[in-house]
Amino acid sequence: MEDQKPKIGITLSGGGARGFAHIGVLKALEEAGLGPEVICGTSAGAIIGVLYAHGYHPDQISELIEKSNIYKVFRLVLPRRGLSNQDYLLRQLKEYVPENDFHKLPKKFLVGVTNLNAGKHEIWEDGSLHDLVIASSAVPGIFQPVEINGRYYVDGGVMNNMPADPIRRMCRFLVASNVVTKVEKSSNELSGLKSILARTFEISLWYRSRLNYDACDLIVEPDGLHKYHIFNFSKASEIVQLGYEAGKAQIEQMKKELEAIAR
C-alpha cells in the first residue's frame, strides 16, 4: 500500500560552491521516483534545500543558480569593508520562496544553525524561515551573524556540517549528501592566501560532516569534488553533474534497501 512506503529524508551538507552537487543528487533521486519528503540543510545545503522544499525541481534550481541573480548569493567574496550582510540573499529568498514560514512549504524542511551566544548547534523547523536560512549560510568572517530572538546565529557548519539525528525520527530512510571530501594537497596547491583559507575551511568541514554518518542509511559523496575548491562558483554546471552521477550510482542499492525496509 502507498501509505506503507518508507518516507525518505535527506541531509545536505555545507561546502561552499561544492553545494551545487546537491542539485545533481536530488535530480537523480527524483528521476528514480525517490524524491525526499524531509530535507535538512546546512549553509549551502540550506539554500538548495529550501528551494527544493518549496517545490522547485532540481533542473529549475540549476536554472535559478546559473541564469538568474540568485547565483550571486553563492559568491562568497571577502568584503572590502568589514563583514558583509546578506540583504541580497534576503531579497532573493523573498522572491523565490515568498513564504516566510516552514509550515507552508510543500515538503518538510529543517535548517542547521550555530547559536553563538550559547555556543551550541541547533536545528530549527519553525520560526522565521528566511532569517534562519540566512543564518545557516552566514559563514563567520565573511557574513555578519543574524540576530534571532535576541541571540546571534551563524553557519550551522561551525559545529555540525551535516546533521542527521534530528531528522532520523522523521523518516524511515535517510540519505546523506556530503559534498566535502578530503584528499592530499601539494605545497604548490597551497601557495596563496585564498587557497590556504579554502583548505583550512575544507578540512574543518570535512571533520564536521562525518559526525552523524552512523545515523544515515545511504551516504552519497560525489567523486571529483576535490578538484573544485569551495569558492569555484563559476563551475556550477560541472559540480551539479558530479552530484548527479554520484546519485545515479547509488540508486539500485537504495532501492534494495528500501524494499527490505518495506517488507
Side-chain angles (χ1 to χ4, degrees):
M1 296 175 61
E2 183 64 25
D3 59 359
Q4 294 178 332
K5 180 180 178 182
K7 181 176 287 188
I8 298 170
I10 191 167
T11 178
L12 308 174
S13 77
R18 295 178 182 177
F20 293 132
H22 294 315
I23 302 172
V25 173
L26 289 168
K27 180 177 180 178
L29 295 177
E30 283 280 343
E31 287 182 350
L34 301 173
E37 301 166 72
V38 182
I39 304 98
C40 183
T42 297
S43 200
I47 298 174
I48 300 299
V50 74
L51 291 170
Y52 182 71
H54 175 72
Y56 290 107
H57 184 275
D59 284 339
Q60 292 176 303
I61 299 175
S62 291
E63 185 175 347
L64 288 177
I65 296 304
E66 294 193 65
K67 296 183 179 179
S68 76
N69 288 333
I70 202 170
Y71 178 80
K72 296 178 184 177
V73 168
F74 295 88
R75 295 178 61 186
L76 303 183
V77 181
L78 288 172
R80 294 181 180 179
R81 295 189 181 90
L83 292 172
S84 171
N85 62 37
Q86 291 176 287
D87 289 344
Y88 184 82
L89 174 55
L90 178 59
R91 292 197 300 271
Q92 295 301 296
L93 283 175
K94 287 180 177 179
E95 178 178 352
Y96 294 109
V97 186
E99 309 90 344
N100 191 24
D101 186 338
F102 284 80
H103 303 293
K104 291 184 179 180
L105 295 173
K107 294 178 181 289
K108 181 69 176 178
F109 178 66
L110 303 91
V111 62
V113 293
T114 297
N115 183 327
L116 283 183
N117 296 79
K120 67 177 183 178
H121 182 266
E122 297 177 359
I123 295 290
W124 288 59
E125 54 184 295
D126 198 1
S128 174
L129 176 64
H130 295 159
D131 285 345
L132 286 159
V133 170
I134 292 170
S136 183
S137 56
V139 180
I142 297 178
F143 294 117
Q144 295 173 349
V146 176
E147 185 176 358
I148 302 173
N149 299 332
R151 296 203 159 215
Y152 289 108
Y153 292 87
V154 295
D155 193 328
V158 167
M159 297 188 71
N160 190 337
N161 198 46
M162 198 177 67
D165 288 338
I167 61 172
R168 175 76 270 181
R169 60 184 168 81
M170 300 179 183
C171 56
R172 294 191 64 194
F173 192 91
L174 180 57
V175 178
S177 179
N178 181 24
V179 300
V180 184
T181 57
K182 189 182 79 167
V183 297
E184 186 78 15
K185 292 273 188 177
S186 69
S187 295
N188 288 336
E189 293 176 290
L190 300 172
S191 58
L193 177 60
K194 187 175 181 179
S195 63
I196 292 173
L197 287 173
R199 179 60 168 171
T200 303
F201 186 44
E202 174 187 70
I203 292 171
S204 179
L205 288 181
W206 176 82
Y207 172 77
R208 286 175 274 122
S209 294
R210 287 161 172 74
L211 296 175
N212 297 303
Y213 267 19
D214 291 344
C216 302
D217 298 297
L218 186 74
I219 298 167
V220 182
E221 290 185 310
D223 291 331
L225 283 180
H226 66 278
K227 299 176 183 178
Y228 303 87
H229 61 66
I230 60 175
F231 301 120
N232 265 159
F233 299 101
S234 62
K235 304 293 185 181
S237 60
E238 296 176 21
I239 296 172
V240 170
Q241 183 61 27
L242 290 179
Y244 177 71
E245 292 169 0
K248 289 279 286 185
Q250 297 271 29
I251 292 300
E252 291 307 313
Q253 179 63 31
M254 185 172 172
K255 286 182 176 178
K256 290 179 182 179
E257 295 188 26
L258 284 168
E259 289 174 2
I261 291 174
R263 291 194 188 108

